[in-house]
Amino acid sequence: MTALTPRLRWTFSDGLTLVGRELGRLRQEPGELVAALVFPAVMVVLFGYVFGSAIQVPGGGDYREYLMPGLFSMVTFSAVMAVMTRVATDASRGVMDRFRSMPMARLAVPFGQTGADSLIGLLMLAIMVGAGLLVGWQPHRGLLPTAGAFLLLMVLRYALSWVGVYVGLAVKNDQVADAMVPLFLPFTMLSNSFVPTDGMPGWLRFLPTGTR
């Protein structure tokens, strides 16, 4: 255990450095950051007012309040696509090769990517919560259960960001990664928060998750 401690400290320190690199890159490309932060609010408006006007909640109630848990999960799943694209871009531009030639911990690269994505995801989730409160959503089970639910969403996002790292390293091409993004989008919408499952075929009906 004593021998592992310096190595873990080294990995953690290098990982924090790469988290700063990713956040600094977003400061240099503010358009990407703005798009990521506007996306949650756009989803609330799009599904809550455009698509939601044609959807009736079983048993009555406000569809926008029913919708928000599905949107929280949808934004959480976007970690796969975001991290996959960034990692594939670094690999195609030779950044990963540069990292390998430097005296740094190998695990620092995925730690940096997933750590930066977690911070961005937390901000996206906060924006979506604010937008949800504005359109009528509110938690009903108290502060602690609500905080636990959002903590679970952040843990899920962190886990999914590692999937994005793996896929990005496997692809190693930013153009291929961009082309793969639409393939992941249907999975983010497999939820009965967006469409009733009664009309789905049996083989597909068990996949959607959400609250109903």
Side-chain angles (χ1 to χ4, degrees):
M1 182 67 181
T2 304
L4 290 177
T5 301
R7 180 173 297 180
L8 290 175
R9 189 183 303 117
W10 177 32
T11 301
F12 183 72
S13 176
D14 289 347
L16 287 179
T17 300
L18 291 182
V19 168
R21 169 190 176 261
E22 289 300 317
L23 297 180
R25 184 181 62 82
L26 289 176
R27 286 198 300 268
Q28 297 174 358
E29 300 176 4
E32 181 179 345
L33 179 61
V34 170
L37 297 182
V38 170
F39 174 74
V42 171
M43 290 297 99
V44 174
V45 174
L46 180 63
F47 285 97
Y49 290 97
V50 179
F51 298 150
S53 61
I55 298 177
Q56 299 295 324
V57 178
D62 187 351
Y63 173 69
R64 288 184 291 276
E65 188 168 353
Y66 173 90
L67 168 74
M68 292 308 299
L71 289 180
F72 291 146
S73 299
M74 182 180 184
V75 169
T76 299
F77 196 88
S78 67
V80 176
M81 297 174 284
V83 176
M84 174 189 69
T85 303
R86 290 198 298 268
V87 171
T89 299
D90 282 349
S92 65
R93 294 178 180 177
V95 177
M96 293 299 180
D97 294 333
R98 175 61 176 167
F99 285 155
R100 292 190 184 95
S101 68
M102 298 174 66
M104 60 185 295
R106 294 180 65 87
L107 282 176
V109 175
F111 277 145
Q113 289 284 356
T114 55
D117 181 78
S118 295
L119 294 176
I120 297 171
L122 182 61
L123 188 54
M124 292 174 66
L125 198 60
I127 292 175
M128 179 162 279
V129 168
L133 292 173
L134 289 176
V135 301
W137 169 81
Q138 59 180 344
H140 296 281
R141 298 187 179 276
L143 179 61
L144 289 180
T146 302
F150 284 119
L151 178 61
L152 183 61
L153 284 172
M154 290 306 302
V155 172
L156 175 62
R157 183 179 184 96
Y158 187 70
L160 290 173
S161 66
W162 280 87
V163 176
V165 170
Y166 175 80
V167 177
L169 289 175
V171 171
K172 296 182 180 179
N173 187 295
D174 54 338
Q175 295 181 351
V176 175
D178 288 337
M180 290 179 63
V181 168
L183 300 179
F184 287 95
L185 286 177
F187 293 99
T188 68
M189 302 185 69
L190 284 176
S191 170
N192 56 7
S193 294
F194 305 124
V195 61
T197 56
D198 295 340
M200 295 182 180
W203 62 270
L204 184 61
R205 194 175 301 168
F206 78 99
L207 289 176
T209 58
T211 58
R212 185 172 180 186

